[in-house]
Amino acid sequence: MDVDGSAVDIGQLKNGDIDESLYSRQLYVLGHEAMKRMGSSHVLIAGLRGLGVEIAKNIALAGVKSLTLFDPEPAAISDLSSQFFLHPDDVGKPRAAVTAPRVAELNTYTPVSVHPSDSLTSNLEDLRQYQVIVLTGTSLKDQLKISDFAHANAIYLVIVDIFGLFGSIFTDFGKQFAIADSTGENPVSGIVNGIDSEGLVSALDENRHGLEDGDYVTFSEVQGMAALNGSEPRKVTVKGPYTFSIGDVSGLGEYKQGGLYTQVKMPKIVDFQPLSQQLQKPEILMSDFAKFDRPQQLHLGFQALHSFRDKHGHFPRPHNEEDASQILELAQDLAGQGEDKVELDGKLIRELSYQAQGDLSPMAAFFGGLAAQEVLKSVSGKFHPIVQWLYFDSLESLPSSVKRSEELCKPTGSRYDGQIAVFGTEFQEKLANVKQFLVGAGAIGCEMLKSWALIGLATGAQGNISVADMDQIEKSNLNRQFLFRPKDVGKLKADCAAEAVQAMNPELEGKITTFRDRVGPETEHIFNEDFWEGLDGVTNALDNVDARQYVDRRCVFFRKPLLDSGTLGTKGNCQVVLPHLTESYSSSQDPPEQSFPQCTLRSFPNKIEHTIAWAKEKFHQYFVGPPETVNLYVSQPNYIEQTLKQSGNEIPTLESIRDFLVTEKPSNFDDCIIWARHQFEKEYNNAIQQLLYNFPKDSTTASGAPFWSGPKRAPDPLTFDANNTTHFSFVEATANLHAFNYSIAGGNEVSDKHYLEVMENMIIPDFSPNPAVKIQADDKEPDPNAENGKSSFDDNDELEKLVSALPPPKSLAGFKLEPVEFEKDDDKNHHIDFITAASNLRAQNYAIAEADRHKTKFIAGKIIPAIATTTALVTGLVVLELYKIVDGKDDIEQYKNGFVNLALPFFGFSEPIASQKGKYLGKEGEVTIDKLWDRFEVEDITLQEFLDDFSNKGLEVMMLSSGVSLLYASFYPPNKLKDRMGLKLSQLVERISKKSIPGHQKNVIFEMTVEDQTGEDVEVPYVMLKLHK
């Protein structure tokens, strides 16, 4: 049964033909080579309840040559607990037959079909057509048969099982499995400062080399040990953060100067064992070091569950004590059989039995993301696989505020039976009446809404979900934001996502409110006090740090729990923010983005990142800044007198306005071509000649060392060659963007031949270096071209001459230039084309390895690499924490902040960090305060009453302010305070600030400095004045 007749097949695509508009974010995770290997792979997934369909969804989005599904069993109503592609009217139909067409909609490049058999083990030879087999919900007996066949026939195997809040994954990628890249991190490189006779390499200027023992490096541009250049990779032994050894260098000569080292990723070979061997002596990867003794117990417990099903035809009944006792006995028998005796925790094994029929969406999401990534690892050789088992549980998510019993956990004939089996009906009722706010409906937002729909969040009479996202759907979103389809491109994300999950669970109809607004200070009249006070909790699904911090601040102010998460390629994290318990998202910050010294960008680049940053600056200098300045000159009265006088950058600005309005103003597209060709000459020939005039290649520093050494690479001017693709591309992109500024149409219709004709008729003036030009040689030195505190307005003659050359603004009424707004994802707008060409031409100047358009777009566009597998897994972790919040847990040790890296793979869990506490000495003794969550709340009393109230607490107010208005200070003279003491606080704020309090605002924030009973200044929380409007 072939349910996708797409003729497009990524296995047939060449490197450059992979649909980058669809796969762009994933390509930055996996790379072209891994994607091509995936594109020739056939994958079979067996078992299509929630777990199987999660894996299928993630693999379909990632893109393989073909995806085949197997599950002839009839769909049950309980499957809807986690199977998002099943509808109530599918109950009774074969799972694979109804699921396959819906998986096929996810990606036209991945054909989806159904395996034509009622049993996978009836004819094992049929399995030879697949490179990878994934088994979910499969009996242990069948797992062993298929494992032996797959291992013997070099077929990769992934086995995944989930039972309620417990799950496991097993991998077998055969003998001699080659891992091409274990980490996925970019190879490190650096500049060599020295290599001694023992082979000790030191990095330049104490830059950390970033290498580890066992890494390999190659060398280039080394002088004195030339045989190292281009030789076989050398194995590294790290000696310190700035030095490493490459072993024997005898016979290579004596190091003189220069050189670059570059890490080389070497293949790693791993031998896997078949399931039959690994059951006896498992090799287990730890998922949570706080549960060090659990994996071995669960390894036996899972086998006991399979034995029980083989005997009874079903897994243990929810919360049934008799079945749990049998499972414990079976596990104890297994514990006594192996070489290594395992001590069992009876309570843990009984809990596993209670939950065996449980089917939870977040656990399916966690293991679905994990298993799909293992499949991609097997066929691509990219990233290190799990070797060979991983067990994970989230028993902390079990509710303590409600009862669980066999009666409360038994099936009810509801779509939530898979969840009720674990938590019971009382907790299901709690979930149904939650009011939750989702900020962002992108990749994580889609997964979150899907999971909420499946668990029945907000489906009750009191429940509601609010979703805010102002963005529209783009084609690149379809690769991981799985609620959207090609027909949705251009529509609003929040609306489409809400519509999709209401179709997934009709009980959500009328329960989702969408907002097309950014959540920020400018929309506080929309997301006002009433809105925030009405929420039970907030979930962030944002990739913008500023937005995340804003939402975090609002959650702290309104004391709402926040679940924050994010992904970066194969890395992901989730953080729990709990009122009065934990620190907030904003309590810790990531290190600032790397920035490059201006001197390096202007004159001394040594790596491609420098030239890309320089090209992006040129983009702004050519196509953004000057048009904006011209528009201000035309539209803003007295622009020269008012604005320029304040900026202190008058002459360059006036010259730019003159160039764009007079001397270089184009009248047609040919003029734009001419302008672009002149920019080439100016940047890549003349500027380089000037630099070499100031600092000749044989120049030395004051100490006598060569000037052009270490990080300084001596450049060479470029001579324009119309037959050079990069040269031509620069002129083409520059001309089109310049024409855009002036709204000159027709650039895209101009032929290459016409470009050449225009350029052939140009006269390029000869260039002579200017002895008066000064160039900064080092960022530590003062810039010789900087202003010395003297305004350019002192040079009236030159200014008046420039101003007189400008047309009066009145004569330009209605004239407006169009600044370019940088957009990285439109491949026809010439933006990335310009930056790629401009950067690579500068790289040619300095003999730096060039970057292709794909890499340039990644760096210049600051693209966040993303893949569906990580998104699904992280969402699963977040929803497991949401269960705890809905339950009302107040023990910080029950919560988990998580960090994962699927590439390594690595899993790290820790309890959230507690919020900081403080103390002050009051009249009744020492008082403890929470520095983040506590505040003083007051009614609209008078200033005198306010001061007396705090004095009674043992705090003497020294100063009181609201915003920038100082309302009270103890040092104010009595006559100044006399009129203020009797005013109500709201009146006082309005009088001092001379502004009315907005009508929608229901509180005012005060800050104060106080002394406690010790007479010392103490830090206390802010004060909130409550206005009853």
Side-chain angles (χ1 to χ4, degrees), residues 650-651 654 790-802:
E650 300 87 3
I651 289 179
L654 288 173
K790 171 186 162 187
S791 170
S792 301
F793 264 91
D794 296 340
D795 196 347
N796 285 324
D797 288 346
E798 188 173 354
L799 282 168
E800 286 177 12
K801 187 176 177 183
L802 282 167

Side-chain angles (χ1 to χ4, degrees), residues 817-1024:
L817 290 182
E818 192 70 43
V820 175
E821 188 174 335
F822 179 65
E823 171 49 61
K824 60 186 177 291
D825 284 321
D826 181 351
D827 290 338
K828 297 179 181 177
N829 65 9
H830 302 285
H831 297 189
I832 295 298
D833 294 333
F834 169 82
I835 293 172
T836 304
S839 166
N840 283 338
L841 288 172
R842 188 145 175 94
Q844 289 175 19
N845 280 138
Y846 287 86
I848 296 168
E850 298 174 37
D852 61 15
R853 190 181 190 280
H854 181 68
K855 181 177 179 179
T856 304
K857 177 179 174 178
F858 175 65
I859 297 171
K862 296 182 178 177
I863 288 175
I864 298 172
I867 190 167
T869 51
T870 317
T871 305
L873 184 145
V874 165
T875 304
L877 291 177
V878 172
V879 178
L880 290 171
E881 297 306 307
L882 176 64
Y883 284 145
K884 303 172 188 177
I885 290 174
V886 173
D887 183 44
K889 295 184 190 300
D890 57 8
D891 178 3
I892 196 171
E893 292 183 3
Q894 296 297 303
Y895 290 90
K896 298 274 189 181
N897 286 347
F899 176 80
V900 299
N901 186 342
L902 297 186
L904 299 178
F906 170 81
F907 302 84
F909 297 98
S910 62
E911 69 182 57
I913 298 172
S915 51
Q916 279 194 327
K917 306 297 189 285
K919 294 177 181 177
Y920 70 84
L921 187 63
K923 287 192 174 177
E924 303 297 323
E926 194 172 74
V927 179
T928 300
I929 53 171
D930 189 309
K931 290 185 177 181
L932 179 64
W933 297 100
D934 281 347
R935 62 176 173 239
F936 298 106
E937 295 186 1
V938 298
E939 299 296 324
D940 198 7
I941 55 179
T942 66
L943 176 59
Q944 183 65 62
E945 290 170 328
F946 178 87
L947 297 174
D948 292 344
D949 187 27
F950 277 93
S951 184
N952 292 334
K953 288 182 171 72
L955 296 172
E956 300 302 324
V957 179
M958 310 310 292
M959 285 192 288
L960 179 69
S961 62
S962 175
V964 295
S965 301
L966 184 59
L967 309 177
Y968 167 84
S970 59
F971 55 78
Y972 276 175
N975 61 341
K976 188 170 185 176
L977 292 174
K978 186 173 65 172
D979 293 340
R980 301 187 183 191
M981 288 298 190
L983 290 176
K984 288 194 171 183
L985 294 173
S986 61
Q987 297 170 329
L988 181 63
V989 169
E990 291 185 330
R991 176 185 287 190
I992 304 302
S993 68
K994 297 178 181 174
K995 292 178 184 175
S996 298
I997 298 169
H1000 66 83
Q1001 191 173 320
K1002 294 190 174 182
N1003 54 66
V1004 179
I1005 303 304
F1006 297 138
E1007 300 285 349
M1008 60 182 183
T1009 58
V1010 299
E1011 292 179 356
D1012 68 357
Q1013 294 299 287
T1014 65
E1016 298 291 330
D1017 286 348
V1018 288
E1019 186 180 345
V1020 293
Y1022 65 90
V1023 179
M1024 185 175 85

Side-chain angles (χ1 to χ4, degrees), residues 713-769:
R713 302 174 67 83
D716 291 297
L718 298 183
T719 301
F720 184 78
D721 177 3
N723 294 316
N724 182 303
T725 307
T726 310
H727 293 208
F728 187 89
S729 179
F730 174 85
V731 172
E732 183 180 32
T734 305
N736 274 279
L737 290 169
H738 196 55
F740 178 88
N741 286 151
Y742 289 91
S743 301
I744 295 172
N748 290 328
E749 284 77 52
V750 175
S751 66
D752 291 358
K753 182 181 177 185
H754 186 73
Y755 275 94
L756 297 174
E757 288 171 353
V758 172
M759 290 188 287
E760 282 172 5
N761 291 324
M762 286 177 62
I763 297 174
I764 304 297
D766 291 334
F767 175 76
S768 297

Side-chain angles (χ1 to χ4, degrees), residues 413-434:
S414 134
R415 63 178 294 138
Y416 308 116
D417 278 354
Q419 185 164 258
I420 289 170
V422 180
F423 297 136
T425 52
E426 290 180 9
F427 190 67
Q428 189 63 46
E429 185 69 19
K430 268 196 161 189
L431 285 168
N433 289 291
V434 165

Side-chain angles (χ1 to χ4, degrees), residues 94-393:
R95 288 194 194 109
V98 292
T99 302
R102 293 159 194 168
V103 174
E105 291 177 5
L106 293 169
N107 188 350
T108 56
Y109 294 111
T110 302
V112 180
S113 58
V114 175
H115 185 78
S117 172
D118 289 334
S119 168
L120 283 184
T121 54
S122 61
N123 185 1
L124 292 172
E125 290 299 316
D126 286 349
L127 302 180
R128 287 186 185 274
Q129 61 187 297
Y130 306 112
Q131 276 73 51
V132 197
I133 298 172
V134 183
L135 301 179
T136 74
T138 309
S139 70
L140 183 58
K141 185 169 62 177
D142 284 354
Q143 288 178 14
L144 286 164
K145 284 182 185 175
I146 295 168
S147 167
D148 288 342
F149 180 82
H151 192 81
N153 291 278
I155 299 169
Y156 306 131
L157 179 67
V158 178
I159 302 174
V160 204
D161 277 316
I162 56 172
F163 302 103
L165 291 164
F166 299 88
S168 74
I169 182 170
F170 167 80
T171 63
D172 174 8
F173 296 165
K175 298 174 183 175
Q176 297 286 295
F177 178 75
I179 306 165
D181 181 356
S182 294
T183 67
E185 300 296 333
N186 290 325
V188 300
S189 61
I191 300 171
V192 175
N193 189 50
I195 306 174
D196 70 13
S197 58
E198 302 297 317
L200 186 71
V201 181
S202 54
L204 182 74
D205 292 339
E206 294 200 343
N207 284 316
R208 290 178 178 268
H209 51 66
L211 296 165
E212 297 178 2
D213 277 345
D215 284 344
Y216 286 78
V217 293
T218 56
F219 292 88
S220 60
E221 301 182 19
V222 175
Q223 296 179 35
M225 285 185 171
L228 271 180
N229 297 326
S231 65
E232 288 296 308
R234 308 279 295 225
K235 192 173 183 179
V236 165
T237 305
V238 172
K239 298 297 184 183
Y242 313 107
T243 56
F244 59 90
S245 171
I246 55 170
D248 183 18
V249 292
S250 58
L252 297 181
E254 187 177 344
Y255 174 82
K256 291 181 180 176
Q257 68 172 36
L260 305 172
Y261 64 86
T262 304
Q263 181 189 8
V264 178
K265 297 291 183 84
M266 303 294 280
K268 179 181 177 181
I269 306 300
V270 178
D271 273 327
F272 287 80
Q273 294 178 341
L275 178 63
S276 53
Q277 287 180 247
Q278 278 288 305
L279 278 174
Q280 305 306 316
K281 202 165 184 179
E283 187 171 354
I284 299 175
L285 174 71
M286 287 299 301
S287 64
D288 187 344
F289 286 93
K291 303 173 180 179
F292 196 77
D293 60 338
R294 279 197 195 165
Q296 290 285 354
Q297 296 184 68
L298 294 179
H299 186 69
L300 301 178
F302 277 41
Q303 291 177 63
L305 290 179
H306 282 289
S307 297
F308 183 98
R309 186 170 75 165
D310 288 346
K311 182 178 180 181
H312 299 283
H314 61 80
F315 285 116
R317 290 162 289 180
H319 238 275
N320 181 278
E321 297 297 342
E322 182 186 344
D323 290 358
S325 296
Q326 284 191 47
I327 291 294
L328 183 56
E329 281 182 32
L330 288 166
Q332 286 170 337
D333 288 345
L334 289 166
Q337 292 173 13
E339 294 178 19
D340 302 321
K341 298 291 180 280
V342 179
E343 191 173 329
L344 293 179
D345 176 352
K347 189 177 177 183
L348 175 72
I349 301 301
R350 295 184 79 86
E351 190 61 61
L352 175 61
S353 176
Y354 295 159
Q355 298 183 33
Q357 290 191 23
D359 186 13
L360 299 177
S361 166
M363 289 296 289
F366 179 90
F367 277 96
L370 187 58
Q373 191 66 59
E374 292 305 302
V375 170
L376 301 183
K377 290 176 186 178
S378 71
V379 296
S380 70
K382 186 76 177 274
F383 309 138
H384 201 293
I386 291 170
V387 182
Q388 287 188 249
W389 294 91
L390 178 137
Y391 287 89
F392 171 80
D393 73 79

